[in-house]
Amino acid sequence: MEAAGPPTQPPAPHPLVAPLSFLLGKWRGEGEGTFPSIVPFRYGEEILFSHHPSKPVISYTQRTWKAASGDPMHAESGYWRPRPDGSVEVVIAQSTGLTEVQTGSYDSEKKTVTLQSELIGNAAKR
Amino acid sequence: MEAAGPPTQPPAPHPLVAPLSFLLGKWRGEGEGTFPSIVPFRYGEEILFSHHPSKPVISYTQRTWKAASGDPMHAESGYWRPRPDGSVEVVIAQSTGLTEVQTGSYDSEKKTVTLQSELIGNAAKR
């Protein structure tokens, strides 16, 4: 039986978000952490970029977990704010008690984003 | 028919989180915003406090929406970190491009939390 109508399309993103729409969705992967002073560890990671078309903002959450047990490790969340001048601002809160402001630029054809940390807030040092 | 076993209990929270466990869950409400220079507006609000018992951290998300249309308004997210000395640190990223560190104390019997803003990061002023 044919469908009665066209498939439902997600609404178009906000015009400022459109060039960054390649980010939208849920990204998952696995990796290995290494550092000279610690035992290497394997972890899982999930990043979610979500967006409502009425706002020029992308909501961002990231979390990692131990591959062996599934127990949570680092997590962070915040907002990506593409600006009319082609730059992007990112504000993040981290589960370790840090806040961060990052700024940078993006190339929507190459699907790249370049960010630099501009400000760090540390709840433990105030 | 009787249930075959006891009901499933959620795992006990992390000992540092236990005194703040009255926060955990999803909170919803409605309100009215007023300010001399704007037309009063009604809004809906949802706050979610979630927790994994292996980490002494509470994940926090808050969002508001216009009561009439459901369109999103302000949102923020971050982490609440109860400390062994009885204080609590809160780190937040806001959809408006701000980060914030708050610190304070809580009373688990009265179910109150008192927070003070300690640091503000502003992505637009750097």
Side-chain angles (χ1 to χ4, degrees):
Chain A
M1 192 170 86
E2 295 291 324
T8 304
Q9 293 286 332
H14 188 284
L16 281 177
V17 168
L20 279 171
S21 59
F22 63 87
L23 291 175
L24 300 177
K26 185 183 286 187
W27 302 78
R28 287 176 73 107
E30 293 187 353
E32 183 172 342
T34 60
F35 196 73
S37 59
I38 61 173
V39 177
F41 61 95
R42 293 199 60 78
Y43 65 93
E45 181 167 12
E46 181 181 285
I47 297 178
L48 177 65
F49 290 106
S50 58
H51 169 60
H52 189 286
S54 73
K55 284 278 197 180
V57 178
I58 299 171
S59 295
Y60 160 75
T61 61
Q62 184 265 16
R63 63 190 184 92
T64 56
W65 57 89
K66 296 176 186 172
S69 65
D71 282 345
M73 300 179 73
H74 181 80
E76 54 185 59
S77 63
Y79 302 90
W80 291 48
R81 297 166 44 85
R83 310 305 297 161
D85 65 2
S87 68
V88 59
E89 302 170 352
V90 179
V91 286
I92 294 174
Q94 301 186 26
S95 60
T96 45
L98 300 178
T99 60
E100 190 169 7
V101 175
Q102 300 178 2
T103 61
S105 59
Y106 57 83
D107 184 322
S108 54
E109 289 194 12
K110 295 179 182 171
K111 298 186 179 179
T112 57
V113 182
T114 304
L115 293 171
Q116 176 171 319
S117 182
E118 298 277 355
L119 284 172
I120 300 274
N122 186 341
K125 295 180 180 174
R126 54 185 187 271
Chain B
M1 193 171 86
E2 295 291 324
T8 302
Q9 294 286 331
H14 188 284
L16 280 177
V17 168
L20 279 170
S21 59
F22 63 88
L23 291 173
L24 299 176
K26 185 182 285 187
W27 302 78
R28 287 176 72 108
E30 293 188 352
E32 183 172 342
T34 60
F35 196 73
S37 59
I38 61 174
V39 176
F41 60 97
R42 292 199 60 79
Y43 65 93
E45 181 168 11
E46 181 182 285
I47 297 177
L48 177 64
F49 290 105
S50 58
H51 170 59
H52 188 287
S54 73
K55 285 279 196 181
V57 178
I58 298 170
S59 295
Y60 160 75
T61 61
Q62 183 265 15
R63 63 190 185 90
T64 55
W65 57 88
K66 296 176 187 173
S69 65
D71 282 346
M73 300 179 73
H74 180 80
E76 56 185 58
S77 63
Y79 302 90
W80 289 49
R81 296 166 45 83
R83 310 306 295 162
D85 66 0
S87 67
V88 58
E89 303 170 350
V90 179
V91 286
I92 294 173
Q94 300 187 25
S95 62
T96 46
L98 299 179
T99 60
E100 189 168 6
V101 174
Q102 300 177 1
T103 62
S105 59
Y106 56 84
D107 184 322
S108 55
E109 288 194 13
K110 294 179 181 170
K111 299 186 178 180
T112 57
V113 182
T114 305
L115 293 170
Q116 177 170 319
S117 182
E118 297 278 354
L119 285 171
I120 300 275
N122 186 339
K125 294 180 181 174
R126 54 184 186 271

